[in-house]
Amino acid sequence: MPAHQFSRYAETYLQTPNRERDRAHGALIQSLQAACRSYTRVVLRLRAQAEADARAMGAAGVSPMSAQRGLPSVKSTTSVNNVPAGKKTFSRSSSRAPSPTSSFAHSHSGHGIGFAYAHSRSGSVAATGHPVALAGFHSPLFRVRRAPLLQVFVPSPEGDWLSDTSVVECENELRRAGVLHLLRPGDVVWDTAVGDEGNVGRMVWDGGYLIDLDYTYSRAGDLPKYLPTLAFPPSYFHRVVRTMGSGNPICHIDIAPWGEEIAANLQLLQDRMKTETPQGGHHMVVRWVHRSSFTIRPSASGKPLRIAVPRDVGPGPGSGGAWLVDPGWYGTVVVEAEGTNEGLADLQARCRGAFPPRAAGAIVGLSPERVAREEEQKSVFRILREKSRPGEIWIRTVTAKERLLPP
């Protein structure tokens, strides 16, 4: 059944007088709810099957990627980032931004990203709970290292925006489907009864409850701040949580632990970017940007890296509820900020003490709410999809002027 039919049946059901709803549409609504429960169980079963296959291949010593049909082995060359690269079928178009290791010098470029693929492919399932690589498994309902899109059917009298009562009923639907114990933080749940426009009806499981998307920087919604971005592969929510406009999703990353490395690699550069005119044309413009980079390396002991999270963040998928860095982030992370004094000051503030102190105006009298809001702003970035590649992720600072909601 097409997705839009679910919302049409829900609308018809809600427009029917209460006394006649159960008699006229009760059986249909129950069948749609049962269909969504079955779909959810199937998707989670496919995830379990995919991860079981990955573990079996890892135990057999088979390279998961080399077993995939039609993909060349990754032995031949080395990219400019020292990442083992395959044949040219892996390369992106020439419009991709150059690697920072070739565009400007790095004191640690020799350590770059050479371990990014090797480490992520050494085990079939990462310690974070996300399978690292997989071969032989193909399904249109679930993709490895992508968030599953689970379904519930709960007609919403309030319209597209689900009330607290409707959200609780969505959780009850998951409980009736018998899948609560199978859910993981980051699983996306879609209430099919409210439509399929943008991210309407989509919520994220945080480990204990369903939470709404964040509409601070986008009318379509972004991942909430309660989910540490580093705990998931960089493309984990791609096309599951839809991103409008530039297609660069909001992410929440605390870069302070790498502040000294960012300070050592910082440069002011000219960058070319493509912009769209009001008439629909495109032209290239030159702008100044502050650009730096840091490297996320696996620990020498092989233990997963922990992520420090605020107290209001729920339990993570790791042992004891810990949040762990996903191996998909191992390698170089390039950070861009505006090429202005304000952009530089913002980047320095995010590094928390790694730069020499700057002269600042008086901050006496700031309310605790504003202080907390400014502190939260320091972790907001956008992932630049066009420039990113495996082992080298580009992010750009997001400032308060990009907010859509008032502070």
Side-chain angles (χ1 to χ4, degrees):
M1 180 186 298
H4 69 272
Q5 291 286 6
F6 284 83
S7 59
R8 178 178 298 180
Y9 287 132
E11 184 178 357
T12 302
Y13 171 77
L14 293 173
Q15 291 177 352
T16 304
N18 292 335
R19 293 177 298 178
E20 302 178 8
R21 282 182 181 177
D22 292 338
R23 180 181 60 82
H25 306 288
L28 175 61
I29 296 302
Q30 291 178 7
S31 65
L32 293 176
Q33 291 175 335
C36 290
R37 294 173 200 157
S38 299
Y39 179 90
T40 294
R41 286 191 289 263
V42 169
V43 171
L44 294 178
R45 178 64 183 88
L46 289 172
R47 176 167 69 179
Q49 176 185 342
E51 295 177 357
D53 290 348
R55 286 191 294 269
M57 294 188 66
V62 178
S63 174
M65 296 301 294
S66 62
Q68 289 200 17
R69 294 182 296 176
L71 294 182
S73 60
V74 282
K75 296 180 181 179
S76 54
T77 61
T78 302
S79 72
V80 292
N81 306 308
N82 297 325
V83 180
K87 298 180 181 179
K88 291 187 177 181
T89 52
F90 281 108
S91 65
R92 294 282 295 274
S93 63
S94 58
S95 63
R96 164 178 280 178
S99 166
T101 54
S102 60
S103 60
F104 60 96
H106 284 293
S107 60
H108 299 291
S109 61
H111 301 283
I113 322 158
F115 50 77
Y117 271 179
H119 182 87
S120 64
R121 290 175 181 171
S122 62
S124 56
V125 178
T128 57
H130 305 297
V132 173
L134 184 63
F137 178 86
H138 301 279
S139 172
L141 303 182
F142 175 76
R143 294 187 61 184
V144 177
R145 294 183 66 74
R146 293 286 175 87
L149 182 59
L150 312 178
Q151 294 184 3
V152 295
F153 185 85
V154 177
S156 172
E158 293 79 11
D160 296 345
W161 185 259
L162 299 180
S163 65
D164 293 343
T165 302
S166 296
V167 173
V168 171
E169 184 59 26
C170 290
E171 296 175 355
N172 291 334
E173 278 294 299
L174 295 172
R175 185 175 293 103
R176 296 183 188 108
V179 298
L180 279 183
H181 65 289
L182 300 175
L183 297 181
R184 299 175 184 170
D187 288 352
V188 181
V189 178
W190 171 35
D191 183 3
T192 58
V194 298
D196 192 26
E197 182 70 23
N199 292 316
V200 169
R202 304 199 180 196
M203 299 162 285
V204 184
W205 183 257
D206 73 341
Y209 304 95
L210 289 175
I211 56 178
D212 293 317
L213 299 181
D214 182 18
Y215 296 89
T216 304
Y217 303 95
S218 169
R219 291 183 175 87
D222 297 296
L223 288 177
K225 62 182 179 180
Y226 307 104
L227 295 176
T229 301
L230 292 180
F232 306 94
S235 61
Y236 191 68
F237 298 97
H238 183 48
R239 295 184 178 178
V240 180
V241 176
R242 296 162 176 164
T243 305
M244 304 302 174
S246 64
N248 297 324
I250 289 289
C251 62
H252 300 269
I253 303 175
D254 181 11
I255 62 173
W258 300 276
E260 294 183 359
E261 189 175 353
I262 293 173
N265 294 332
L266 182 63
Q267 289 196 4
L268 178 62
L269 302 170
Q270 277 190 332
D271 186 33
R272 294 181 179 270
M273 63 176 297
K274 182 183 294 185
T275 61
E276 184 176 358
T277 64
Q279 293 76 24
H282 293 81
H283 65 276
M284 301 296 295
V285 298
V286 178
R287 62 169 186 166
W288 288 95
V289 296
H290 288 102
R291 183 179 296 166
S292 186
S293 67
F294 62 93
T295 303
I296 302 179
R297 299 180 176 88
S299 64
S301 61
K303 295 182 179 180
L305 303 178
R306 284 178 171 261
I307 304 173
V309 296
R311 294 181 178 179
D312 55 353
V313 175
S319 176
W323 289 95
L324 309 173
V325 175
D326 184 87
W329 285 93
Y330 290 165
T332 295
V333 179
V334 183
V335 186
E336 284 191 349
E338 292 181 353
T340 61
N341 290 335
E342 293 78 6
L344 177 60
D346 178 56
L347 180 60
Q348 292 176 344
R350 295 168 187 254
C351 294
R352 292 186 178 87
F355 290 85
R358 297 171 56 96
I363 57 174
V364 179
L366 291 182
S367 64
E369 293 78 10
R370 182 175 177 181
V371 172
R373 186 168 60 249
E374 292 183 354
E375 188 68 20
E376 175 186 318
Q377 183 69 41
K378 295 178 181 179
S379 65
V380 183
F381 296 84
R382 285 192 185 273
I383 298 177
L384 305 180
R385 293 194 184 278
E386 179 65 23
K387 295 183 178 181
S388 298
R389 65 194 80 188
E392 181 181 293
I393 306 301
W394 290 58
I395 60 177
R396 175 179 62 82
T397 58
V398 174
T399 59
K401 64 184 179 181
E402 298 184 46
R403 295 176 63 101
L404 299 181
L405 298 179

